[in-house]
Amino acid sequence: MKKELTRQQHEDLYFYMRLNRAVEDMMVKLFRQNKIVGGLYSSLGQEAISVGTAYALEKKDWLAPMIRNIGALLVKGVAPRDIFMQHMAKYDSPTKGKDGTSHFGDLDHLHIVSPISMLGDLIPVMTGVAMAGRYLGQKIVAMTWIGDGGSSTGVFHEGLNLAATQKAPFVLILENNLWAYSTPVRKQVPLENLADRARAYGIESYIVDGNDVVAVYSTAKEAVEQARAGEGPILIEAKTFRRLGHAQHDAAEYVPKEMRAHWEARDPISLYERFLSSEKLLDAKSKKEIEERIDALLAAEREFAENSPMPPPELAETGVYCTGDDCHKIRAKWERPVAEVTPPRSSVKAVWAVPGFGSGKGSGGGNAPIHFGDTQPEQRQPAGAGRPAAKAPAKVAAKKTVKVAPPSASRKARR
């Protein structure tokens, strides 16, 4: 089911994609001026995925970005200055200069969980967030992202299996950008569609053009609504291309020139501009107004970030470990009667009955479980003693070979 967008929604998607790219372009300049501390990772060509999927969430929902999901942070409400300062290790950054890139979160207001560098680990974490929200009665959906390479990690499968068995309201975005650092997807996964990996866990999956922001948003919106309705987790494979190297230090010379040229012609912002123009939703004047708005915003945000001081030395020993309420207070926000999920109403008798196992008397006189395979060994008898007379072998009718058609997949990846 395709979602019809309002004019404002179209403008929002376009604005955030342009803002996403402008923020990263400015950080490239800061990196070349040696003002960025650590690495810098680009999402050039993948902006439609971060923006389109995050835009499908409600304010109360939770997300956990990865290094190429700055667009999702912007949609959620993170100010560009925070992203600049975080990369510059400034004192006014969300982590007070103690971490780099996008390793920061906001648990109280924006509902953002800080990224985890070990690929795939965010999947069980966000599954837990989704389960907790359901337990508290909050009707939230949790979302995170993973790359094609990260989908080959063990924790990807463990986390997805947990989400499936718990029917967690969780949406996983698998960004298939064709390269896991310098390894092409064809050399790491024997599948045409990575969405097929959802079949192993009996969950729904979708395949979407990751360079079509409207298709990405519409698919993500449908998945979010399904998850919120209690239909379990959903995996969305967004097919796209990583147009720059793994990070600024990687020239990506291993990428064929023809492949790069093909995907550069499918730039998600250019594609969307052509669509908006054809639908009379964007003209030269409105495009210029958006560009001027972004330029003015980022000029002010960059100035603030550059004027922020570096963290003082004495700060290094503080905030390393949480010390309790004096550090920060986290309290469960119940939206259902607590009595429903606390004893005695939540208590069940801890009995696991297995038909056919029964029970027996233990050495102490009480009931004891009968364990499968606990049989007394046969007593040896002299050869031939007590054996019945041999019987003629019974005739067995020949069995016909029956071909059984393989069961069809109950859920197919939707293209």
Side-chain angles (χ1 to χ4, degrees), residues 85-104:
M85 292 187 295
Q86 186 69 18
H87 283 76
M88 299 166 74
K90 291 301 189 82
Y91 178 67
D92 294 316
S93 71
T95 60
K96 301 296 182 184
K98 289 193 172 184
D99 209 334
T101 63
S102 298
H103 286 83
F104 67 94

Side-chain angles (χ1 to χ4, degrees), residues 125-377:
V125 170
M126 297 310 288
T127 295
V129 170
M131 292 167 60
R134 180 175 61 194
Y135 182 75
L136 296 171
Q138 295 176 351
K139 298 288 286 186
I140 63 160
V141 173
M143 176 183 288
T144 192
W145 294 258
I146 192 68
D148 48 271
S151 72
S152 297
T153 61
V155 74
F156 167 91
H157 296 277
E158 294 171 7
L160 205 55
N161 184 68
L162 173 64
T165 55
Q166 296 296 324
K167 294 198 73 173
F170 169 65
V171 176
L172 176 62
I173 313 300
L174 201 168
E175 297 185 75
N176 183 355
N177 63 19
L178 303 181
W179 293 92
Y181 207 126
S182 58
T183 302
V185 68
R186 291 294 185 207
K187 287 192 175 182
Q188 53 159 316
V189 183
L191 294 172
E192 179 181 354
N193 300 312
L194 300 183
D196 289 347
R197 290 189 148 172
R199 292 182 181 180
Y201 308 105
I203 65 175
E204 193 99 25
S205 64
Y206 296 84
I207 297 172
V208 67
D209 179 357
N211 288 33
D212 181 341
V213 70
V214 175
V216 170
Y217 165 75
S218 299
T219 304
K221 189 65 176 177
E222 183 173 340
V224 166
E225 289 177 359
Q226 285 183 245
R228 200 185 309 280
E231 296 183 27
I234 294 172
L235 183 150
I236 299 174
E237 178 189 0
K239 293 182 182 291
T240 185
F241 177 71
R242 194 194 72 205
R243 281 169 54 185
L244 293 180
H246 178 69
Q248 281 291 316
H249 64 272
D250 176 20
E253 294 178 350
Y254 43 80
V255 177
K257 293 181 181 179
E258 298 80 5
M259 176 184 283
R260 188 185 304 281
H262 169 80
W263 285 96
E264 285 178 350
R266 299 200 70 256
D267 179 85
I269 295 179
S270 297
L271 290 176
Y272 198 37
E273 284 179 348
R274 290 199 290 270
F275 169 79
L276 294 175
S277 297
S278 67
E279 295 294 319
K280 310 299 182 184
L281 296 171
L282 181 71
D283 54 25
K285 180 182 178 182
S286 56
K287 180 181 176 181
K288 184 178 180 181
E289 289 175 351
I290 291 174
E291 290 173 349
E292 291 175 347
R293 176 185 167 194
I294 290 175
D295 289 344
L297 170 65
L298 295 191
E301 297 291 272
R302 174 178 177 170
E303 181 180 6
F304 184 95
E306 293 206 69
N307 289 331
S308 175
M310 298 302 288
E314 56 269 20
L315 188 70
E317 64 179 3
T318 64
V320 179
Y321 299 102
C322 178
T323 54
D325 286 349
D326 59 329
C327 174
H328 62 280
K329 295 183 179 181
I330 298 179
R331 297 289 182 270
K333 298 177 181 178
W334 290 91
E335 295 187 19
R336 64 190 290 192
V338 180
E340 289 183 6
V341 289
T342 53
R345 289 181 63 180
S346 68
S347 299
V348 293
K349 192 174 182 180
V351 174
W352 182 42
V354 181
F357 275 40
S359 61
K361 293 291 182 180
S363 59
N367 286 335
I370 297 178
H371 298 284
F372 182 78
D374 286 358
T375 56
Q376 297 296 323

Side-chain angles (χ1 to χ4, degrees), residues 30-78:
L30 294 170
F31 181 86
R32 292 172 179 171
Q33 295 171 355
N34 290 324
K35 295 177 180 178
I36 295 288
V37 178
L40 183 61
Y41 305 86
S42 172
S43 68
L44 180 65
Q46 297 180 222
E47 296 92 345
I49 300 174
S50 293
V51 171
T53 52
Y55 195 73
L57 297 173
E58 295 183 9
K59 185 177 180 180
K60 65 180 179 180
D61 294 330
W62 288 71
L63 61 76
M66 295 226 303
I67 54 176
R68 303 190 204 283
N69 298 125
I70 283 178
L73 294 175
L74 295 169
V75 171
K76 254 297 190 178
V78 174

